Amino acid sequence: MALLSAKNITKIYQAGSHQLTVLKNVDLTIKKGEFVAIIGKSGSGKSTLMNILGCLDTATSGTYKIANKNVSHLTVDQLAQIRNEQVGFVFQQYHLLPDMTALENVMLPLLYAHKTEEFSIKQAKKMLSLVDLADRIDHLPSEMSGGEQQRVAIARALSNNPNIVLADEPTGNLDSVTETIIMKLFKNLHKKQGATIVMITHDEHVAKQASRIIRLHDGKVVKTKK
Ligand SMILES: Nc1ncnc2c1ncn2[C@@H]1O[C@H](COP(=O)(O)OP(=O)(O)O)[C@@H](O)[C@H]1O
Ligand SMILES: [Mg+2]
């Protein structure tokens, strides 16, 4: 069964007096447990699509369902709730809170979901061990390398056990050695934990490491291949 299903998604931005059609009749389905890369050039609409898939934004038209629930026409508050329950995000710029330690950053989604502090600490430590950062839990983002910060961000994305992990150019700011570490982590999460991962990239080498590639060109899905 499809975990994510987008049908005929169009997104039009109003830019001053003219309209910009950024996504054009996009159809895609992603099954539970898949590791999918969405690849396309800069400006092809990848981040716009990710925002819709992650319930950060809604499409101008079309239908989008998560776990069979139609989320196309929800209010901002309803979208926020679905997002908290279903999605963990990883961004190119990590987006960690600078005044919080690694542990506190990873605890945030749990506290938002009204988990107890005791449970949140325990779970956050477990997630930081999973990304091999058990010895960095008290570090601030400024005291960690880019790769370490991205691993904290991945631990945070996973902490509340989301149905889906959405990563937008997760290795875009990293050197090739660190990129390999992050990609290995995603592949392991997919294989060993059964995580559903949708990763956005402009890099063929990164995309090839996913189990399926969806190509976006000028706002349209052009080809889906193994
Ligand atoms: N909020 C917005 N308002 C107007 N235009 C936007 C907005 N966000 C993105 N765009 C435009 O939409 C196109 C696709 O952007 P984006 O989805 O960020 O592409 P990608 O992530 O593939 O680089 C770009 O031309 C961009 O300038
Ligand atoms: Mg982008």
Side-chain angles (χ1 to χ4, degrees):
M1 196 193 74
L3 178 58
L4 305 185
S5 145
K7 287 245 172 342
N8 219 9
I9 293 287
T10 293
K11 180 71 182 182
I12 301 172
Y13 288 121
Q14 192 71 43
S17 58
H18 70 283
Q19 294 187 329
L20 189 63
T21 306
V22 175
L23 296 176
K24 299 163 186 164
N25 309 109
V26 168
D27 283 329
L28 58 87
T29 58
I30 293 168
K31 292 192 190 107
K32 189 158 179 58
E34 271 198 291
F35 179 13
V36 175
I38 298 177
I39 190 168
K41 291 191 183 130
S42 176
S44 59
K46 301 183 299 295
S47 293
T48 301
L49 180 58
M50 155 143 164
N51 288 345
I52 293 169
L53 296 180
C55 295
L56 286 162
D57 198 2
T58 50
T60 308
S61 63
T63 308
Y64 178 46
K65 292 180 182 173
I66 297 185
N68 243 359
K69 184 180 167 65
N70 191 339
V71 297
S72 313
H73 304 291
L74 298 185
T75 64
V76 168
D77 286 349
Q78 288 169 325
L79 278 181
Q81 188 175 347
I82 297 279
R83 208 158 61 222
N84 286 339
E85 289 168 6
Q86 304 279 346
V87 191
F89 290 96
V90 178
F91 297 98
Q92 179 172 357
Q93 315 281 354
Y94 328 128
H95 288 195
L96 300 176
L97 294 185
D99 299 333
M100 290 191 172
T101 64
L103 185 72
E104 288 165 344
N105 268 286
V106 178
M107 284 172 68
L108 272 184
L110 296 157
L111 297 175
Y112 284 144
H114 307 294
K115 304 289 195 263
T116 65
E117 185 162 2
E118 191 189 357
F119 174 84
S120 301
I121 290 173
K122 212 172 124 190
Q123 175 71 1
K125 283 184 176 168
K126 199 165 118 188
M127 290 299 123
L128 283 163
S129 298
L130 194 70
V131 299
D132 210 16
L133 285 177
D135 56 351
R136 293 286 191 282
I137 62 173
D138 292 326
H139 285 232
L140 294 171
S142 60
E143 298 164 344
M144 288 182 284
S145 69
E148 287 169 346
Q149 289 181 65
Q150 194 59 301
R151 276 145 65 199
V152 173
I154 292 169
R156 178 181 61 183
L158 292 165
S159 66
N160 197 29
N161 196 22
N163 262 324
I164 170 159
V165 175
L166 283 181
D168 193 354
E169 304 272 3
T171 61
N173 271 11
L174 304 174
D175 60 71
S176 63
V177 174
T178 314
E179 173 187 298
T180 305
I181 293 169
I182 296 296
M183 291 313 300
K184 207 174 195 174
L185 183 57
F186 278 129
K187 283 189 269 189
N188 270 339
L189 289 169
H190 162 62
K191 266 199 209 137
K192 296 186 182 157
Q193 322 269 328
T196 310
I197 302 169
V198 179
M199 175 185 67
I200 283 165
T201 182
H202 65 275
D203 184 331
E204 290 284 345
H205 173 74
V206 170
K208 275 190 189 124
Q209 303 184 53
S211 3
R212 180 158 70 97
I213 298 179
I214 294 173
R215 282 172 201 277
L216 205 57
H217 179 74
D218 196 19
K220 289 183 193 152
V221 172
V222 285
K223 203 178 2 169
T224 305
K225 70 177 187 188
K226 257 274 174 210

